[in-house]
PDB file of all heavy atoms in Angstrom:
ATOM      1  N   TYR A 226       2.440  38.067  75.306  1.00 98.00           N
ATOM      2  CA  TYR A 226       2.178  38.827  76.536  1.00 98.00           C
ATOM      3  C   TYR A 226       1.474  37.935  77.552  1.00 98.00           C
ATOM      4  O   TYR A 226       1.909  37.843  78.709  1.00 98.00           O
ATOM      5  CB  TYR A 226       1.326  40.076  76.263  1.00 98.00           C
ATOM      6  CG  TYR A 226       0.869  40.741  77.547  1.00 98.00           C
ATOM      7  CD1 TYR A 226       1.792  41.285  78.445  1.00 98.00           C
ATOM      8  CD2 TYR A 226      -0.480  40.779  77.900  1.00 98.00           C
ATOM      9  CE1 TYR A 226       1.385  41.855  79.651  1.00 98.00           C
ATOM     10  CE2 TYR A 226      -0.906  41.338  79.096  1.00 98.00           C
ATOM     11  CZ  TYR A 226       0.029  41.867  79.973  1.00 98.00           C
ATOM     12  OH  TYR A 226      -0.379  42.406  81.168  1.00 98.00           O
ATOM     13  N   SER A 227       0.428  37.224  77.142  1.00 98.00           N
ATOM     14  CA  SER A 227      -0.253  36.293  78.057  1.00 98.00           C
ATOM     15  C   SER A 227      -0.725  35.067  77.297  1.00 98.00           C
ATOM     16  O   SER A 227      -0.981  35.135  76.091  1.00 98.00           O
ATOM     17  CB  SER A 227      -1.468  36.972  78.698  1.00 98.00           C
ATOM     18  OG  SER A 227      -2.516  37.076  77.737  1.00 98.00           O
ATOM     19  N   THR A 228      -0.777  33.925  77.989  1.00 98.00           N
ATOM     20  CA  THR A 228      -1.347  32.690  77.452  1.00 98.00           C
ATOM     21  C   THR A 228      -2.379  32.214  78.461  1.00 98.00           C
ATOM     22  O   THR A 228      -2.096  32.175  79.663  1.00 98.00           O
ATOM     23  CB  THR A 228      -0.238  31.630  77.242  1.00 98.00           C
ATOM     24  OG1 THR A 228       0.673  32.103  76.249  1.00 98.00           O
ATOM     25  CG2 THR A 228      -0.822  30.308  76.778  1.00 98.00           C
ATOM     26  N   VAL A 229      -3.600  31.873  77.991  1.00 98.00           N
ATOM     27  CA  VAL A 229      -4.685  31.537  78.928  1.00 98.00           C
ATOM     28  C   VAL A 229      -4.281  30.355  79.812  1.00 98.00           C
ATOM     29  O   VAL A 229      -4.347  30.428  81.037  1.00 98.00           O
ATOM     30  CB  VAL A 229      -5.987  31.236  78.173  1.00 98.00           C
ATOM     31  CG1 VAL A 229      -7.085  30.828  79.147  1.00 98.00           C
ATOM     32  CG2 VAL A 229      -6.433  32.442  77.353  1.00 98.00           C
ATOM     33  N   ILE A 230      -3.851  29.237  79.224  1.00 98.00           N
ATOM     34  CA  ILE A 230      -3.385  28.078  80.002  1.00 98.00           C
ATOM     35  C   ILE A 230      -1.859  28.138  80.029  1.00 98.00           C
ATOM     36  O   ILE A 230      -1.159  27.448  79.311  1.00 98.00           O
ATOM     37  CB  ILE A 230      -3.891  26.757  79.403  1.00 98.00           C
ATOM     38  CG1 ILE A 230      -5.401  26.810  79.143  1.00 98.00           C
ATOM     39  CG2 ILE A 230      -3.551  25.594  80.348  1.00 98.00           C
ATOM     40  CD1 ILE A 230      -5.984  25.537  78.561  1.00 98.00           C
ATOM     41  N   GLN A 231      -1.345  29.014  80.920  1.00 98.00           N
ATOM     42  CA  GLN A 231       0.083  29.366  80.911  1.00 98.00           C
ATOM     43  C   GLN A 231       0.957  28.451  81.739  1.00 98.00           C
ATOM     44  O   GLN A 231       2.168  28.372  81.496  1.00 98.00           O
ATOM     45  CB  GLN A 231       0.224  30.788  81.442  1.00 98.00           C
ATOM     46  CG  GLN A 231      -0.310  30.927  82.863  1.00 98.00           C
ATOM     47  CD  GLN A 231       0.176  32.194  83.526  1.00 98.00           C
ATOM     48  OE1 GLN A 231       1.278  32.630  83.268  1.00 98.00           O
ATOM     49  NE2 GLN A 231      -0.658  32.797  84.355  1.00 98.00           N
ATOM     50  N   ASP A 232       0.407  27.794  82.767  1.00 98.00           N
ATOM     51  CA  ASP A 232       1.270  26.995  83.644  1.00 98.00           C
ATOM     52  C   ASP A 232       0.535  25.799  84.222  1.00 98.00           C
ATOM     53  O   ASP A 232      -0.675  25.645  84.021  1.00 98.00           O
ATOM     54  CB  ASP A 232       1.819  27.879  84.774  1.00 98.00           C
ATOM     55  CG  ASP A 232       0.669  28.451  85.608  1.00 98.00           C
ATOM     56  OD1 ASP A 232      -0.487  28.017  85.434  1.00 98.00           O
ATOM     57  OD2 ASP A 232       0.947  29.342  86.446  1.00 98.00           O
ATOM     58  N   TRP A 233       1.262  24.959  84.936  1.00 98.00           N
ATOM     59  CA  TRP A 233       0.672  23.702  85.439  1.00 98.00           C
ATOM     60  C   TRP A 233      -0.510  23.972  86.349  1.00 98.00           C
ATOM     61  O   TRP A 233      -1.512  23.254  86.331  1.00 98.00           O
ATOM     62  CB  TRP A 233       1.735  22.862  86.138  1.00 98.00           C
ATOM     63  CG  TRP A 233       2.137  23.354  87.487  1.00 98.00           C
ATOM     64  CD1 TRP A 233       3.132  24.245  87.774  1.00 98.00           C
ATOM     65  CD2 TRP A 233       1.534  23.005  88.745  1.00 98.00           C
ATOM     66  NE1 TRP A 233       3.176  24.484  89.132  1.00 98.00           N
ATOM     67  CE2 TRP A 233       2.210  23.733  89.756  1.00 98.00           C
ATOM     68  CE3 TRP A 233       0.488  22.165  89.116  1.00 98.00           C
ATOM     69  CZ2 TRP A 233       1.868  23.630  91.103  1.00 98.00           C
ATOM     70  CZ3 TRP A 233       0.144  22.051  90.455  1.00 98.00           C
ATOM     71  CH2 TRP A 233       0.835  22.771  91.431  1.00 98.00           C
ATOM     72  N   GLY A 234      -0.427  25.071  87.127  1.00 98.00           N
ATOM     73  CA  GLY A 234      -1.501  25.375  88.072  1.00 98.00           C
ATOM     74  C   GLY A 234      -2.818  25.657  87.366  1.00 98.00           C
ATOM     75  O   GLY A 234      -3.892  25.198  87.788  1.00 98.00           O
ATOM     76  N   THR A 235      -2.741  26.382  86.255  1.00 98.00           N
ATOM     77  CA  THR A 235      -3.964  26.701  85.506  1.00 98.00           C
ATOM     78  C   THR A 235      -4.532  25.436  84.870  1.00 98.00           C
ATOM     79  O   THR A 235      -5.743  25.176  84.925  1.00 98.00           O
ATOM     80  CB  THR A 235      -3.647  27.748  84.410  1.00 98.00           C
ATOM     81  OG1 THR A 235      -2.977  28.865  85.006  1.00 98.00           O
ATOM     82  CG2 THR A 235      -4.908  28.214  83.711  1.00 98.00           C
ATOM     83  N   SER A 236      -3.633  24.609  84.289  1.00 98.00           N
ATOM     84  CA  SER A 236      -4.100  23.351  83.701  1.00 98.00           C
ATOM     85  C   SER A 236      -4.714  22.463  84.779  1.00 98.00           C
ATOM     86  O   SER A 236      -5.807  21.894  84.592  1.00 98.00           O
ATOM     87  CB  SER A 236      -2.919  22.608  83.057  1.00 98.00           C
ATOM     88  OG  SER A 236      -3.279  21.268  82.779  1.00 98.00           O
ATOM     89  N   PHE A 237      -4.061  22.371  85.953  1.00 98.00           N
ATOM     90  CA  PHE A 237      -4.539  21.550  87.078  1.00 98.00           C
ATOM     91  C   PHE A 237      -5.919  22.016  87.527  1.00 98.00           C
ATOM     92  O   PHE A 237      -6.841  21.212  87.728  1.00 98.00           O
ATOM     93  CB  PHE A 237      -3.525  21.660  88.222  1.00 98.00           C
ATOM     94  CG  PHE A 237      -3.878  20.926  89.486  1.00 98.00           C
ATOM     95  CD1 PHE A 237      -3.897  19.542  89.521  1.00 98.00           C
ATOM     96  CD2 PHE A 237      -4.163  21.625  90.653  1.00 98.00           C
ATOM     97  CE1 PHE A 237      -4.203  18.861  90.691  1.00 98.00           C
ATOM     98  CE2 PHE A 237      -4.470  20.958  91.825  1.00 98.00           C
ATOM     99  CZ  PHE A 237      -4.500  19.570  91.853  1.00 98.00           C
ATOM    100  N   MET A 238      -6.093  23.315  87.603  1.00 98.00           N
ATOM    101  CA  MET A 238      -7.366  23.908  88.035  1.00 98.00           C
ATOM    102  C   MET A 238      -8.472  23.551  87.024  1.00 98.00           C
ATOM    103  O   MET A 238      -9.555  23.120  87.396  1.00 98.00           O
ATOM    104  CB  MET A 238      -7.181  25.427  88.093  1.00 98.00           C
ATOM    105  CG  MET A 238      -8.238  26.224  88.729  1.00 98.00           C
ATOM    106  SD  MET A 238      -7.736  27.955  88.784  1.00 98.00           S
ATOM    107  CE  MET A 238      -7.457  28.251  87.020  1.00 98.00           C
ATOM    108  N   LEU A 239      -8.142  23.653  85.731  1.00 98.00           N
ATOM    109  CA  LEU A 239      -9.129  23.361  84.682  1.00 98.00           C
ATOM    110  C   LEU A 239      -9.448  21.865  84.639  1.00 98.00           C
ATOM    111  O   LEU A 239     -10.606  21.474  84.459  1.00 98.00           O
ATOM    112  CB  LEU A 239      -8.606  23.847  83.329  1.00 98.00           C
ATOM    113  CG  LEU A 239      -8.518  25.371  83.161  1.00 98.00           C
ATOM    114  CD1 LEU A 239      -7.683  25.722  81.930  1.00 98.00           C
ATOM    115  CD2 LEU A 239      -9.919  25.984  83.068  1.00 98.00           C
ATOM    116  N   ALA A 240      -8.431  21.030  84.865  1.00 98.00           N
ATOM    117  CA  ALA A 240      -8.662  19.580  84.880  1.00 98.00           C
ATOM    118  C   ALA A 240      -9.602  19.214  86.028  1.00 98.00           C
ATOM    119  O   ALA A 240     -10.549  18.433  85.851  1.00 98.00           O
ATOM    120  CB  ALA A 240      -7.328  18.845  85.024  1.00 98.00           C
TER     121      ALA A 240
END
Side-chain angles (χ1 to χ4, degrees):
Y226 171 63
S227 74
T228 296
V229 177
I230 310 180
Q231 60 164 327
D232 60 10
W233 75 271
T235 308
S236 166
F237 178 68
M238 191 176 57
L239 291 166

